[in-house]
Every structure is written in structure tokens, then in C-alpha cells.
Amino acid sequence: MAISTVTGQFKQMQIDILADDQRVNSGSVHCRIDTDSVTTGDAYRDQHIKSDALLDVMHHPEIDFVASSFNRLHKDHFTVRGLLTIKESSREIDIPVKYLGWNEINGKERIGFESLFAVDRDSFNLTYHPLLERGGMVIGQHIHIEAYFTFLKDNDELPYGRF
């Protein structure tokens, strides 16, 4: 309401990563997010986000991201470029990614990443723009995204390793 930040999360998603430990600029990433799994902790607000005014989960059950390139900026920082699709709008975006590290626990390899970035709502047809009586926006123009991921290697027989 022009004075606070609302946080939420998607509870269900699937991310497939095919990676080569030796060449970070090769491999693939495909992320599918279940739009109906969004939650902010407020049922009324969640229903509004899921309605046709914003995500329209009835007609658009997934948000989709498919990476097209990886660029190492320096040691642990990368840019992942890819096609983000929300509703019927698809846009190429660059996502900054920080590599957090690798370890092995109980015979399972794990790698971790984090990413902080923003997308413009209007670029993805999320154009709900009611104004308050004094002219303030009800919803901000940009959606700020924080993503923290730990991936487990699930198949030692693949040529690259799948996390």
C-alpha cells in the first residue's frame, strides 16, 4: 500500500539442471513454477494474486524459465540469460547468480546458488494498477526476487551430472 513490502513464495517448482563441472558455460537450466502455489500468508491477498487481475492461475498454471547462455563474470558470479514466460508474455532476461559452494554429505553431492534480481510487472502483462485516494500505487512496479537453491546430484551415470 505504498508504505510496506509484502513477501511471498512459491511452494512448488521443478528445476532441472544439467551441468558440466569443467565448463560452466555449457549445460542447461529449465525452471517451472506452479503459480497456484504462491503464498504471502494472507488468504485474501493470495486469492487476488492468483486471480485474472495478476497471475491468472486458471489459464496460466506455470511460470517458465529456460536458460540460453551462462556467462562467468568472475570466480563465483555468473549471469544466466534465458527466456522467462509469465502468463502469455515471454522476455529474455539476465539473472545474476552467485555460486555458494559444493560439498558431499552421506555420499550425495550438493551445490548451492543464490540470486537477487527484479522484473518489471508490465513486461509480463501483470498490469494491475489501482491507485490509492492520495495517488500512491497499491502494488509496486517491480517484483523483487530472492532465490536460494541447493541441488543434489541425482545420477552419476550422466555425462555431465544432473543436479
Side-chain angles (χ1 to χ4, degrees):
M1 304 293 271
I3 59 170
S4 65
T5 298
V6 172
T7 60
Q9 59 183 301
F10 291 97
K11 294 285 196 173
Q12 295 184 355
M13 68 181 66
Q14 179 178 337
I15 304 173
D16 296 314
I17 295 179
L18 188 61
D20 179 346
D21 295 336
Q22 306 303 314
R23 296 186 322 262
V24 74
N25 60 344
S26 66
S28 64
V29 174
H30 186 189
C31 176
R32 289 168 301 284
I33 300 170
D34 177 356
T35 56
D36 195 40
S37 74
V38 69
T39 180
T40 64
D42 180 278
Y44 178 79
R45 179 175 33 235
D46 293 350
Q47 287 307 311
H48 183 251
I49 292 169
K50 294 175 185 183
S51 76
D52 61 356
L54 288 167
L55 290 177
D56 192 8
V57 302
M58 180 78 75
H59 297 102
H60 306 284
E62 290 184 343
I63 294 171
D64 194 63
F65 177 77
V66 179
S68 58
S69 67
F70 304 85
N71 182 29
R72 175 176 262 160
L73 302 175
H74 49 86
K75 184 180 176 189
D76 294 334
H77 292 81
F78 303 85
T79 298
V80 177
R81 173 167 274 243
L83 190 66
L84 177 63
T85 302
I86 302 174
K87 292 174 82 170
E88 294 174 353
S89 299
S90 297
R91 300 278 184 271
E92 286 278 336
I93 64 168
D94 292 320
I95 299 176
V97 176
K98 181 178 180 185
Y99 170 68
L100 299 175
W102 172 94
N103 68 24
E104 185 176 330
I105 299 173
N106 298 327
K108 286 285 190 179
E109 291 182 55
R110 293 164 167 75
I111 57 174
F113 300 94
E114 70 179 19
S115 181
L116 309 169
F117 63 102
V119 294
D120 184 314
R121 287 189 305 110
D122 287 346
S123 294
F124 294 95
N125 200 26
L126 302 171
T127 56
Y128 181 76
H129 287 293
L131 297 176
L132 298 173
E133 286 182 25
R134 295 186 179 188
M137 297 276 295
V138 173
I139 301 175
Q141 186 63 33
H142 293 92
I143 300 167
H144 298 271
I145 299 166
E146 296 181 24
Y148 305 93
F149 299 104
T150 301
F151 297 99
L152 299 175
K153 189 172 184 178
D154 71 356
N155 187 343
D156 291 328
E157 296 175 12
L158 290 171
Y160 291 106
R162 184 179 182 110
F163 288 90

